[in-house]
Amino acid sequence: MEKEINLKELFDEPKVMAVIGNSNQAKSNLIYYLIKQINRGFEFKLYTYGLRSDLRKANKIYSIQELEQIKDSIIFIDEFFTLFDLEDRKKKKQIENTIRLIYHNNNILVLIGLPENFKKFISSKLNIVIYKKVKILAWRSIDERKSIRTY
């Protein structure tokens, strides 16, 4: 069952959202579509990281320091794990402070990535999740995976 997305509700206040999907499931295409739709009905500042196509009215960012300076905007970060080093435990505090600052600066942050990139730490920061096709795995042992269901 498909639910129609109400863009006004999705982009109404500061929050952290995620678009999660397997490789080659058109996550970036969904982002381009969302940007096109919100451009039609809203006036906003747009910042992007990692999107392959240039967008009109979009400002590209290249670092966390640039991200922390943004105010009153919508920010799309494709393949967010290349910007946030979640494997380094020391940097998790910095990432947490960055996300807190994003809220404080009245921004909406959209993280785009593969299911395995959304570890417990970053998943706990999400307000809204949009799933594309995702394969969920259960662990029976360290060396064996069993596919449960594909969504």
Side-chain angles (χ1 to χ4, degrees), residues 94-109:
Q94 177 195 14
I95 294 167
E96 189 165 4
N97 289 337
T98 298
I99 291 173
R100 193 174 293 123
L101 189 59
I102 288 167
Y103 275 103
H104 180 72
N105 287 341
N106 198 37
N107 294 310
I108 299 169
L109 177 63

Side-chain angles (χ1 to χ4, degrees), residues 83-139:
L83 182 63
F84 295 142
D85 184 4
L86 297 174
E87 299 302 319
D88 186 342
R89 290 182 9 204
K90 293 178 184 175
K91 292 191 178 177
K92 284 186 180 180
K93 187 68 175 164
Q94 177 195 14
I95 294 167
E96 189 165 4
N97 289 337
T98 298
I99 291 173
R100 193 174 293 123
L101 189 59
I102 288 167
Y103 275 103
H104 180 72
N105 287 341
N106 198 37
N107 294 310
I108 299 169
L109 177 63
V110 182
L111 303 173
I112 303 110
L114 301 170
E116 57 266 22
N117 301 134
F118 287 87
K119 308 283 188 214
K120 184 168 81 170
F121 169 77
I122 200 72
S123 295
S124 69
K125 311 294 182 216
L126 301 176
N127 303 104
I128 295 175
V129 177
I130 300 171
Y131 288 100
K132 295 286 287 175
K133 187 173 183 179
V134 174
K135 189 165 195 153
I136 300 174
L137 302 173
W139 295 93

Side-chain angles (χ1 to χ4, degrees), residues 41-65:
F42 305 97
E43 191 66 35
F44 64 97
K45 292 184 277 184
L46 174 65
Y47 289 84
T48 64
Y49 174 89
L51 292 177
R52 289 173 181 80
S53 297
D54 290 334
L55 299 167
R56 273 185 305 140
K57 300 181 183 179
N59 302 293
K60 288 187 174 185
I61 61 170
Y62 301 96
S63 69
I64 290 177
Q65 291 76 21

Side-chain angles (χ1 to χ4, degrees), residues 72-83:
D72 305 315
S73 301
I74 300 175
I75 307 161
F76 289 90
I77 301 180
D78 197 7
E79 300 189 18
F80 76 93
F81 57 90
T82 61
L83 182 63

